[in-house]
């Protein structure tokens, strides 16, 4: 990850590498929330560096130089801060508190200060130290670029592994540099030593900089947005989406990262324009026959230039077209669908497809034949209030006394992912429906042709509202195609008497059930 500055240059602290760093993102002066600790209840010592009185400098390298000074242009509270910089190579400069500070009587003592660090990453270091004798210091430090002042709070009951509570201490700040590149320096302001932290934890806003602190969250956020829109994305998909949509940023990133650009969330989330689609063609349909008494499931509609929004219907001169109950396009050459031929005249029907690219018809490709099987009557039990019911597969949608099916009812259309109001004539055998039965309702009768088995199209993956067939069936006897399809978790029935869902292992004719599946099938 590379970090870029507001002027579109590479941030001074940024990593880069033509083959080792993939992409850039804004990382300098990013306006963001900054964690702020609770306030100090009892303050024992504070200094806003209006002067350097009470502090002395120590040059550990022995050169005699004095580099710490006041800066009245960069601070967190007026009039100034203590600073060291610009600095040179091979420095070891200390700023030490002259007088001791007693922690006696303080509960949970802490050290808090504001500082801004701009040093060579992983080479030069800024430290804060604690000592009990003004000579042997324990140091905790950081290095890099804070992007401006940040607040740091240290627990003095466990500072560098030592407990200083109740003791007398000295504090010091230190800058150590190596023999290579230098940075701008260190600024320190608003030191507080005290105890008894109180008050609510709050957040403030400020400008922060960093490759891991600021630039990396930018790209992580892009990845989260992309996954929210494309839940099936793999790691490789996410990486490609981010890197293929960058803003080219020469000379800042050209040759300094693999993509040569800075991440662009809007571009990554905008799907590419679909390529032009030519007119479809239809070459075959399996099965090519269906009864005039109910649904026929088409397992293979083949052709070319199929699209996700394709519609399919049976047409015949002088007859009302029969639209497909659903269409699932597997790819540009293969689709699945279902036709309800109940009441359709027997004989050959044309199969017509329509996409954004045009329409195509396969003449006399589907044959409707007369169903000569016997009919019988099924009872659909309902109770007052909402019921999850289904019309047994194969039944003609003919509802008889003593109580007609309440209308309108509400259907969950799984492949559309939403509820839709529907009338009695819209009910498709085998699907699940919500119906609201009034207090005087009794069981409903449905008469039609028998149907010993039933195929239900699962699309998309997840929860589907599915009805039972004409005889009771155990959930373990449901056949899933393909073999990789999994029935996920329990099967749930709805009890209108209690208004609760219960899990079940047996499906009752006329009832509907919530089932979750791992994929399409």
């Amino acid at each position: 990850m590379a970090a870029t500055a507001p002027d579109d240059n590479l941030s001074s602290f940024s990593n880069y590498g033509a083959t080792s760093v993939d992409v850039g993102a804004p990382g300098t002066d990013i306006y963001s929330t900054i964690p702020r600790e609770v306030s100090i209840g009892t303050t024992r010592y504070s200094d806003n560096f209006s002067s350097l009185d009470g502090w002395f400098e120590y040059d550990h390298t022995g050169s005699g130089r004095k580099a710490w000074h006041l800066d009245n242009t960069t601070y967190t509270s007026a009039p100034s801060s203590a600073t060291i910089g610009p600095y040179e190579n091979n420095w070891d400069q200390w700023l030490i508190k002259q007088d001791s500070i007693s922690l006696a009587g303080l509960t949970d003592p802490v050290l808090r200060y504001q500082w801004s660090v701009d040093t060579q990453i992983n080479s030069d270091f800024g430290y804060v130290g604690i000592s009990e004798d003004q000579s042997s210091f324990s140091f905790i430090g950081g290095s890099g670029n804070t992007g401006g002042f940040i607040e740091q709070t240290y627990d003095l009951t466990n500072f560098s592994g030592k407990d200083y509570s109740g003791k007398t201490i000295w504090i010091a700040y230190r800058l150590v540099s190596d023999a290579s590149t230098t940075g701008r320096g260190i600024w320190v302001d608003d030191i507080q030593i005290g105890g008894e932290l109180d008050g609510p934890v709050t957040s403030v806003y400020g400008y922060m900089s960093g490759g891991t602190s600021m630039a990396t969250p930018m790209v992580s956020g892009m990845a989260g947005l992309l996954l929210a829109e494309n839940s099936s994305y793999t790691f490789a998909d996410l990486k490609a989406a981010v890197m293929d949509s960058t803003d080219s940023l020469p000379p800042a990133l050209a040759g300094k990262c693999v993509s040569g650009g800075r991440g662009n969330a809007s571009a990554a989330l905008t799907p590419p324009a679909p390529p032009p689609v030519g007119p479809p063609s239809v070459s075959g349909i399996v099965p090519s026959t269906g009864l005039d008494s109910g649904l026929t499931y088409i397992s293979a509609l083949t052709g070319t230039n199929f699209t996700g929004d394709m519609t399919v219907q049976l047409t015949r001169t002088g007859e009302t077209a029969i639209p497909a109950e659903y269409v699932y396009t597997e790819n540009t050459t293969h689709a699945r669908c279902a036709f309800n031929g109940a009441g359709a005249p027997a004989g050959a029907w044309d199969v017509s497809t329509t996409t954004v690219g045009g329409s195509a018809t396969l003449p006399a490709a589907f044959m409707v034949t007369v169903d000569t099987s016997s009919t019988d009557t099924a009872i659909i039990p309902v109770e007052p209030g909402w019921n999850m019911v289904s019309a047994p597969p194969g039944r003609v949608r003919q509802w008889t006394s003593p109580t007609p099916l309440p209308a309108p009812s509400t259907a969950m259309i799984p492949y559309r992912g939403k509820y839709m109001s529907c009338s009695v004539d819209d009910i498709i055998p085998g699907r699940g429906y919500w119906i609201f039965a009034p207090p005087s309702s009794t069981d409903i009768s449905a008469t039609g042709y028998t149907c010993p088995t039933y195929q239900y199209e699962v699309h998309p993956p997840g929860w589907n509202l599915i009805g039972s067939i004409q005889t009771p069936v155990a959930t373990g006897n449901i056949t899933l195609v393909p073999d990789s399809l999994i029935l996920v978790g329990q099967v749930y029935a709805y009890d209108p008497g209690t208004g609760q869902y219960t899990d079940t292992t047996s499906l009752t004719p006329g009832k509907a059930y919530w089932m979750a599946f791992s994929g399409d099938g």
Side-chain angles (χ1 to χ4, degrees):
M1 176 63 60
T4 61
D7 60 3
D8 286 344
N9 286 316
L10 193 69
S11 300
S12 61
F13 52 81
S14 177
N15 290 324
Y16 59 89
T19 59
S20 57
V21 175
D22 289 323
V23 69
T28 296
D29 292 340
I30 307 300
Y31 194 61
S32 176
T33 55
I34 299 174
R36 186 177 182 86
E37 300 288 347
V38 293
S39 61
I40 293 178
T42 302
T43 300
R44 184 61 52 84
Y45 169 78
S46 64
D47 195 340
N48 68 350
F49 287 109
S50 58
S51 72
L52 287 178
D53 293 345
W55 296 83
F56 71 91
E57 296 181 66
Y58 169 63
D59 177 15
H60 191 64
T61 58
S63 67
R65 67 170 63 87
K66 292 188 176 182
W68 285 90
H69 60 279
L70 294 176
D71 186 338
N72 60 7
T73 62
T74 305
Y75 49 77
T76 56
S77 65
S80 53
S81 64
T83 184
I84 180 169
Y87 65 92
E88 299 177 11
N89 293 326
N90 299 313
W91 275 21
D92 188 357
Q93 298 287 339
W94 300 39
L95 182 68
I96 305 173
K97 184 74 176 72
Q98 233 165 12
D99 300 322
S100 63
I101 302 165
S102 174
L103 303 182
L106 291 179
T107 303
D108 299 325
V110 296
L111 164 66
R112 173 177 295 161
Y113 58 89
Q114 306 277 346
W115 77 346
S116 176
V117 180
D118 185 341
T119 61
Q120 184 189 12
I121 297 176
N122 298 325
S123 298
D124 302 343
F125 297 88
Y127 298 95
V128 60
I130 303 293
S131 172
E132 294 181 63
D133 57 11
Q134 206 180 26
S135 61
S136 300
F137 280 84
S138 296
F139 285 100
I140 293 178
S143 117
N145 190 313
T146 62
F149 279 98
I150 63 171
E151 184 176 84
Q152 293 202 304
T153 301
Y154 289 109
D155 179 3
L156 297 182
T157 65
N158 185 24
F159 182 91
S160 192
K162 296 183 180 180
D163 183 359
Y164 290 95
S165 56
K167 298 179 180 179
T168 297
I169 65 167
W170 283 262
I171 62 174
Y173 290 89
R174 181 183 183 187
L175 181 142
V176 178
S177 62
D178 67 1
S180 59
T181 305
T182 62
R184 295 174 57 232
I186 299 173
W187 291 259
V188 181
D189 204 357
D190 291 329
I191 299 173
Q192 286 181 287
I193 293 179
E196 301 173 355
L197 295 177
D198 61 11
V201 176
T202 60
S203 292
V204 296
Y205 288 88
Y207 290 92
M208 295 285 289
S209 300
T212 54
S213 300
M214 292 289 123
T216 298
M218 291 280 189
V219 178
S220 298
M222 289 174 61
L225 291 171
L226 284 164
L227 275 177
E229 291 292 321
N230 307 276
S231 59
S232 63
Y233 265 13
T234 64
F235 166 77
D237 295 330
L238 285 174
K239 182 176 180 180
V242 171
M243 295 184 62
D244 292 346
S245 58
T246 58
D247 294 330
S248 178
L249 209 63
L253 296 177
K256 294 182 179 178
C257 65
V258 176
S259 67
R262 177 184 56 205
N264 184 324
S266 176
L269 289 167
T270 302
V277 178
S281 67
V282 187
S283 57
I285 184 169
V286 177
S288 58
T289 61
L291 299 174
D292 64 353
S293 57
L295 288 173
T296 300
Y297 290 87
I298 306 303
S299 60
L301 183 66
T302 54
T304 60
N305 293 331
F306 289 173
T307 61
D309 59 353
M310 181 173 68
T311 60
V312 183
Q313 61 181 354
L314 300 179
T315 59
R316 184 176 177 180
T317 303
E319 303 291 350
T320 302
I322 304 173
E325 298 290 347
Y326 73 89
V327 178
Y328 175 50
T329 304
E330 296 180 342
N331 50 51
T332 59
T333 61
H334 194 109
R336 288 176 279 166
C337 57
F339 295 106
N340 191 340
W349 289 70
D350 302 336
V351 179
S352 298
T353 59
T354 302
T355 68
V356 293
S359 300
T361 298
L362 189 63
F366 187 83
M367 184 69 66
V368 175
T369 59
V370 176
D371 189 347
T372 59
S373 59
S374 61
T375 63
D376 61 7
T377 299
I379 302 299
I380 300 176
V382 295
E383 297 182 35
W386 286 103
N387 295 256
M388 284 198 328
V389 305
S390 66
R395 304 289 179 187
V396 174
R397 290 171 295 195
Q398 178 180 352
W399 311 102
T400 58
S401 60
T403 302
L405 190 68
S409 301
T410 302
M412 174 63 179
I413 309 300
Y415 57 90
R416 294 177 184 167
K418 61 183 179 181
Y419 288 101
M420 299 178 64
S421 293
C422 61
S423 68
V424 172
D425 291 336
D426 295 326
I427 289 178
I428 299 170
R431 285 194 187 151
Y433 293 83
W434 284 102
I435 67 167
F436 187 83
S440 60
S441 293
T442 56
D443 294 343
I444 300 166
S445 298
T447 301
Y449 295 98
T450 57
C451 179
T453 61
Y454 177 63
Q455 239 184 348
Y456 182 89
E457 184 70 23
V458 176
H459 177 69
W463 289 102
N464 286 254
L465 191 55
I466 298 178
S468 177
I469 60 173
Q470 290 157 330
T471 56
V473 61
T475 57
N477 292 336
I478 298 174
T479 302
L480 301 178
V481 179
D483 293 337
S484 59
L485 187 64
I486 298 173
L487 178 62
V488 182
Q490 300 291 332
V491 174
Y492 290 98
Y494 180 73
D495 183 349
T498 63
Q500 301 292 321
Y501 287 105
T502 58
D503 57 290
T504 182
T505 58
S506 179
L507 309 184
T508 301
K511 293 291 188 180
Y513 301 88
W514 282 114
M515 305 181 193
F517 297 89
S518 61
D520 295 326

